[in-house]
């Protein structure tokens, strides 16, 4: 009897333990499922997809139309005197800085000393002349050895000689004065930049034109696809600022250094057989653009049909219009420039890329940085371009 009781108690205990284990397993599965659902937000997004068109991308750097750095003249022993201030906008022919030629200055001082001596000499001649006349007048006529006319002629000749020497010295000083200070003037309108640190390698100053362009490169595969005056959309890599522009120059020849490197086998793989060519792009406006910015230009090929998107997809912040785009599951912002509205659509002039999936609306608020479904929208298939 005692043995049966022990067996019964063991069975009951096993059933209780089993019940708790099964309950925990079921409960844990529900919690995991709830976490998965929470991680995957149901935004219910409706999309507009930008037509997939062939594009050429050109990476480049913003540069001034003209720039000149003025290095110190090692032949000069003097320090240049800067005539402008940092940040000044100067016109062509504005004096930027001058050097004083110390040797010329020393020679001018010598000539001025000679000039003083000649004036003293001339004064002495007049003094002697006056004394000679006084003596002539005091001498009895029968004792005079010369005439007054002869006396005047003698001293006048000496004065004339002194005057000639004075004229010559003055002309010499005038000629030297044109060489005493060597002036450097601006060749174009631009902004002055004076380095704060004055080391031996620093220029005296730099002059940079206010006009900017983008200096980029295109590989030989895309070279024949582009042309001068072709329109482009350019975006600043660091902050996404977007402006319009066009191709202003295409170099027909690759850089010489690159050609030499390829010929000598300096590169390996496919890059060795692919040349790149210099391209310049002009900018329609310079708002938010600075010298040195890295930019990417997008050139649309084929039919240049304007992109129309639903006006409801366009947002605005601090005067900038933008749209939110599903970029492989991550919501990003694209700043855009818009044109006229046509019904419930608005023409986008720049800022969009081929095959961009623009978020038109959503059941739940979507913001930049959110993670959403990458390939298909939560509420169905992607909406095709209208």
């Amino acid at each position: 009897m005692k043995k049966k009781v022990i067996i019964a108690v063991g069975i009951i205990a096993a059933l209780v333990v089993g019940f708790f284990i099964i309950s925990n397993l079921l409960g844990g599965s529900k919690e995991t499922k709830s976490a998965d659902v929470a991680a995957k937000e149901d935004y219910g997004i409706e999309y507009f997809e930008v037509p997939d068109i062939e594009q050429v991308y050109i990476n480049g750097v913003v540069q001034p139309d003209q720039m000149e750095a003025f290095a110190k003249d090692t032949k000069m022993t003097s320090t240049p005197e800067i005539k402008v201030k940092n940040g000044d906008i100067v016109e062509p022919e504005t004096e930027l800085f001058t050097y004083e030629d110390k040797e010329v200055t020393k020679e001018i001082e010598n000539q001025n000393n000679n000039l003083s001596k000649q004036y003293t000499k001339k004064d002495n001649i007049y003094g002697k002349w006056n004394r000679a006349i006084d003596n002539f007048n005091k001498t009895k006529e029968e004792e005079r050895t010369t005439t007054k006319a002869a006396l005047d002629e003698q001293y006048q000749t000496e004065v004339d000689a002194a005057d000639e020497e004075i004229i010559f010295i003055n002309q010499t000083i005038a000629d030297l004065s044109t060489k005493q200070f060597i002036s450097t003037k601006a060749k174009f309108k631009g902004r002055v930049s004076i380095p704060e640190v004055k080391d031996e390698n620093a220029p005296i100053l730099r002059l940079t034109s206010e006009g900017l362009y983008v200096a980029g490169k295109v590989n030989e595969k895309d070279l024949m696809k582009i042309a001068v005056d072709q329109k482009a959309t350019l975006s600043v890599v660091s902050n996404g600022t977007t402006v319009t522009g066009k191709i202003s120059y295409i170099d027909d020849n690759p850089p010489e250094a690159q050609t030499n490197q390829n010929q000598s086998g300096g590169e390996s793989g496919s890059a060795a057989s692919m040349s790149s060519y210099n391209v310049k792009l002009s900018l329609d406006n310079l708002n938010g653009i600075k010298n040195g910015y890295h930019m990417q230009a997008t050139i649309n090929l084929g039919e240049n049909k304007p992109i129309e998107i639903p006006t409801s997809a366009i947002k605005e912040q601090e005067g900038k219009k933008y749209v939110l785009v599903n970029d492989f599951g991550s919501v990003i912002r694209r700043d855009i420039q818009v044109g006229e509205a046509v019904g419930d659509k608005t023409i986008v002039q720049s800022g969009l890329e081929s095959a961009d999936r623009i978020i038109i609306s959503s059941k739940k608020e979507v913001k930049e940085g959110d993670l959403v479904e990458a390939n298909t929208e939560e509420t169905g298939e992607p909406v095709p371009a209208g």
Side-chain angles (χ1 to χ4, degrees):
M1 180 72 180
K2 186 175 181 181
K3 184 176 182 181
K4 290 181 180 179
V5 171
I6 292 172
I7 292 171
V9 169
I11 293 171
I12 292 171
L15 290 172
V16 171
V17 171
F19 174 77
F20 277 108
I21 291 173
I22 292 170
S23 296
N24 286 335
L25 288 173
L26 292 174
S29 175
K30 287 180 181 178
E31 289 175 2
T32 303
K33 186 175 181 181
S34 298
D36 289 341
V37 171
K40 193 180 204 180
E41 297 283 1
D42 181 15
Y43 287 99
I45 300 174
E46 180 185 4
Y47 292 103
F48 174 91
E49 189 166 318
V50 176
D52 189 6
I53 57 177
E54 186 180 4
Q55 295 175 314
V56 169
Y57 299 98
I58 300 174
N59 293 315
V61 179
V62 177
Q63 296 184 5
D65 290 332
Q66 292 178 283
M67 183 176 69
E68 187 171 4
F70 299 89
K72 190 177 186 302
D73 190 340
T74 55
K75 296 178 182 178
M76 291 293 178
T77 57
S78 62
T79 300
E81 182 182 358
I82 299 176
K83 301 290 188 178
V84 291
K85 291 183 285 189
N86 188 51
D88 282 355
I89 304 296
V90 299
E91 297 292 335
E93 295 302 313
T94 299
E95 190 175 52
L96 301 176
F97 60 90
T98 58
Y99 275 108
E100 180 184 4
D101 191 323
K102 296 292 188 179
E103 293 300 320
V104 173
T105 299
K106 184 177 180 180
E107 182 59 27
I108 289 175
E109 290 175 356
N110 291 336
Q111 292 297 327
N112 278 319
N113 290 334
N114 290 337
L115 187 62
S116 297
K117 291 177 182 178
Q118 287 300 319
Y119 278 118
T120 301
K121 180 179 180 181
K122 184 178 177 180
D123 289 341
N124 290 337
I125 292 170
Y126 276 119
K128 289 167 63 178
W129 191 353
N130 289 330
R131 286 194 296 273
I133 292 173
D134 287 343
N135 289 333
F136 178 84
N137 291 332
K138 292 177 182 177
T139 302
K140 295 178 180 179
E141 187 173 349
E142 61 274 11
E143 295 178 1
R144 293 173 182 168
T145 59
T146 185
T147 64
K148 186 175 181 302
L151 194 66
D152 288 343
E153 182 179 358
Q154 174 190 342
Y155 285 103
Q156 184 62 56
T157 300
E158 293 182 25
V159 169
D160 290 343
D163 282 338
E164 286 182 8
E165 187 64 21
I166 288 171
I167 292 172
F168 175 76
I169 294 173
N170 277 325
Q171 185 60 52
T172 301
I173 292 173
D175 291 341
L176 288 171
S177 295
T178 62
K179 303 172 185 177
Q180 183 180 12
F181 295 98
I182 302 171
S183 176
T184 298
K185 298 181 180 181
K187 297 176 182 176
F188 55 88
K189 181 179 180 179
R191 182 183 296 275
V192 174
S193 175
I194 302 174
E196 185 176 355
V197 179
K198 303 290 186 182
D199 59 42
E200 59 181 9
N201 296 320
I204 300 168
L205 57 83
R206 291 185 180 88
L207 186 62
T208 305
S209 66
E210 293 187 286
L212 301 173
Y213 73 95
V214 176
K217 292 185 182 295
V218 64
N219 61 46
E220 63 184 67
K221 183 179 68 175
D222 292 330
L223 179 66
M224 302 307 295
K225 299 176 183 179
I226 62 173
V228 172
D229 291 333
Q230 204 163 14
K231 292 183 178 180
T233 300
L234 301 101
S235 298
V236 178
V237 174
S238 60
N239 58 31
T241 298
T242 301
V243 296
T244 57
K246 65 180 180 180
I247 298 174
S248 59
Y249 171 78
I250 303 173
D251 197 337
D252 290 333
N253 301 295
E256 185 176 348
Q258 174 187 279
T259 302
N260 294 338
Q261 186 178 28
N262 288 348
Q263 289 174 348
S264 62
E267 296 182 9
S268 60
S270 60
S273 59
M274 188 77 73
S275 294
S276 59
Y277 297 79
N278 292 326
V279 178
K280 292 182 180 180
L281 299 107
S282 62
L283 302 165
D284 291 338
N285 70 77
L286 302 178
N287 295 333
I289 308 297
K290 290 193 177 293
N291 181 19
Y293 275 9
H294 286 72
M295 301 192 77
Q296 184 182 71
T298 304
I299 314 294
N300 292 335
L301 305 179
E303 185 181 0
N304 190 19
K305 184 179 179 181
I307 299 173
E308 294 181 357
I309 69 171
T311 303
S312 58
I314 300 174
K315 305 178 185 300
E316 186 170 352
Q317 182 180 21
E318 296 179 354
K320 288 187 175 181
K321 288 184 167 51
Y322 69 95
V323 294
L324 296 176
V325 172
N326 181 344
D327 186 46
F328 299 100
S330 178
V331 178
I332 64 172
R333 166 175 167 164
R334 289 211 193 283
D335 291 335
I336 59 174
Q337 292 184 341
V338 301
E340 62 179 341
V342 182
D344 60 350
K345 300 285 186 70
T346 296
I347 294 176
V348 177
Q349 296 173 331
S350 64
L352 295 177
E353 295 184 3
S354 176
D356 269 348
R357 297 183 68 218
I358 300 171
I359 297 173
I360 302 173
S361 63
S362 59
K363 293 179 181 177
K364 184 176 179 180
E365 182 184 0
V366 178
K367 61 184 182 299
E368 186 179 7
D370 284 343
L371 297 178
V372 296
E373 189 71 27
N375 297 318
T376 59
E377 54 181 309
E378 291 80 344
T379 57
E381 295 298 319
V383 178

